[in-house]
Amino acid sequence: MSPILGHSIFKILSIPKPNRTLLNEFKRSFSIFKKKEKVKEASPYIVVRASKEEYNDIIRIMHESYYPEEPTCSSLNITPNAVLDQRAIKAMEEGLTLVAKCKYNGCIVGACINESTSPWDPDMEEKLACTVKCEKTKKLLMFYAYLTRAPDLWRCLGIQKVYEMGYVFVNRTHRKKGLALKLMEESKSLGADAGFAVVRCDATSIYTAKICEKLGMQKVAEIPYCTYLDQNLEPIFKPPWPQEGVKIYCDCSPQFHEVNKKLKASTEPKRRKKNIET
């Protein structure tokens, strides 16, 4: 043992319990006792509201990154078409869509298309499906109507509007950087700030479901793909494992949770400062 270290330990052992000054000085003098704070790297992305001029870019990325991989669309081998594009644009026109952009060149690399749903929307969706000639698109729209109606949140909660995080997608080259989580987190906050009493997400993939759970949303319904059948009693969707069904998540107190999050964020620097002083 080093003579200096042995002498310091002897001093500490001889310190009366009420006197902690020398003990604190000893802790500061040895790096083994110091807690190194993790330095947060600045993200090269920003999340902002989408403008009307960006709708076409969002649709283009949606064609490349959403339809080929989303379980229901890929299972039906859906080809993007004017009906689905118009449906997405109609949702974007509510002004609740968020996009992730690269800070350096301003390119859109991902989006979360959010919209509000009302009790009559499933009926309107079914009417639209009946006018579509493409059988695959018709099946998809009928499934959307079924999903929207399934938990019957309007009647159960006595509300007329639900904020829904509809489509979430990120460009392939910009994945595994937490962008989907950031987009959904900001979208959830936007729903609370916009005054919606309920925030909802229909997680058609296990990856979206995991994000919903990270955000503290509660699962209110689950629809296995094998239970949604056609006229011949055959499953309409047969996505590869591990995609097994749709999980519907809700947050019925978004404003309350948002206030708590902001309060926690505002008190955290004070706690950190107090820890540094002690």
Side-chain angles (χ1 to χ4, degrees):
M1 183 186 289
S2 169
I4 298 172
L5 182 61
H7 180 67
S8 300
I9 292 172
F10 174 77
K11 276 189 174 183
I12 290 169
L13 294 174
S14 62
I15 296 171
K17 285 186 179 180
N19 187 1
R20 296 292 182 185
T21 307
L22 189 55
L23 178 60
N24 290 335
E25 287 177 3
F26 175 75
K27 283 183 180 180
R28 291 190 188 99
S29 63
F30 290 91
S31 60
I32 194 171
F33 294 106
K34 290 184 179 179
K35 289 184 181 178
K36 292 182 179 179
E37 291 186 6
K38 291 182 180 178
V39 179
K40 238 184 179 181
E41 293 183 6
S43 173
Y45 306 101
I46 55 170
V47 175
V48 294
R49 272 204 212 196
S51 64
K52 289 183 180 180
E53 293 76 20
E54 294 169 333
Y55 290 174
N56 289 333
D57 290 333
I58 295 170
I59 293 294
R60 178 181 52 79
I61 298 171
M62 196 175 181
H63 287 186
E64 297 169 357
S65 308
Y66 180 80
Y67 292 113
E69 298 177 8
E70 195 274 331
T72 57
C73 296
S74 61
S75 182
L76 289 173
N77 197 19
I78 287 283
T79 303
N81 53 60
V83 174
L84 296 176
D85 288 350
Q86 191 56 42
R87 187 182 186 277
I89 289 172
K90 185 182 176 183
M92 286 189 275
E93 285 174 347
E94 290 194 53
L96 300 170
T97 296
L98 296 181
V99 292
K101 289 182 177 181
C102 179
K103 282 181 181 178
Y104 308 112
N105 56 22
C107 290
I108 296 173
V109 298
C112 186
I113 300 177
N114 308 304
E115 60 182 328
S116 62
T117 56
S118 303
W120 52 85
D121 284 335
D123 296 333
M124 300 298 291
E125 196 87 79
E126 288 175 351
K127 287 180 181 179
L128 173 63
C130 292
T131 64
V132 176
K133 293 180 180 179
C134 176
E135 284 299 320
K136 293 177 180 179
T137 304
K138 182 179 290 188
K139 287 178 181 179
L140 186 65
L141 293 175
M142 292 296 283
F143 182 62
Y144 286 163
Y146 174 75
L147 271 186
T148 307
R149 190 183 285 122
D152 199 8
L153 296 175
W154 307 287
R155 184 182 61 83
C156 294
L157 301 174
I159 54 176
Q160 289 295 310
K161 288 279 186 181
V162 170
Y163 177 88
E164 186 166 347
M165 296 186 279
Y167 306 96
V168 186
F169 48 92
V170 176
N171 192 296
R172 289 188 185 91
T173 56
H174 296 271
R175 289 177 185 173
K176 297 185 179 180
K177 297 177 182 178
L179 279 178
L181 173 61
K182 185 65 176 174
L183 280 165
M184 289 183 66
E185 185 179 23
E186 293 292 330
S187 292
K188 188 167 171 282
S189 297
L190 177 61
D193 292 340
F196 286 90
V198 178
V199 172
R200 167 180 174 165
C201 181
D202 297 344
T204 56
S205 76
I206 60 166
Y207 310 111
T208 310
K210 286 179 181 178
I211 293 175
C212 289
E213 288 169 5
K214 279 185 181 178
L215 295 177
M217 300 178 74
Q218 301 296 316
K219 185 174 73 174
V220 295
E222 185 171 359
I223 303 166
Y225 288 127
C226 62
T227 64
Y228 189 73
L229 311 176
D230 60 14
Q231 293 177 349
N232 299 319
L233 300 181
E234 289 291 327
I236 292 176
F237 304 107
K238 298 177 182 178
W241 187 87
Q243 311 297 348
E244 296 179 344
V246 182
K247 295 179 181 179
I248 301 174
Y249 289 87
C250 284
D251 184 352
C252 296
S253 305
Q255 290 94 347
F256 174 77
H257 294 146
E258 190 64 20
V259 169
N260 276 355
K261 187 176 77 173
K262 288 177 181 177
L263 285 173
K264 188 178 179 182
S266 64
T267 56
E268 192 176 349
K270 293 179 182 178
R271 289 177 184 173
R272 193 176 297 170
K273 187 178 178 182
K274 190 177 180 182
N275 292 337
I276 292 169
E277 288 174 354
T278 54

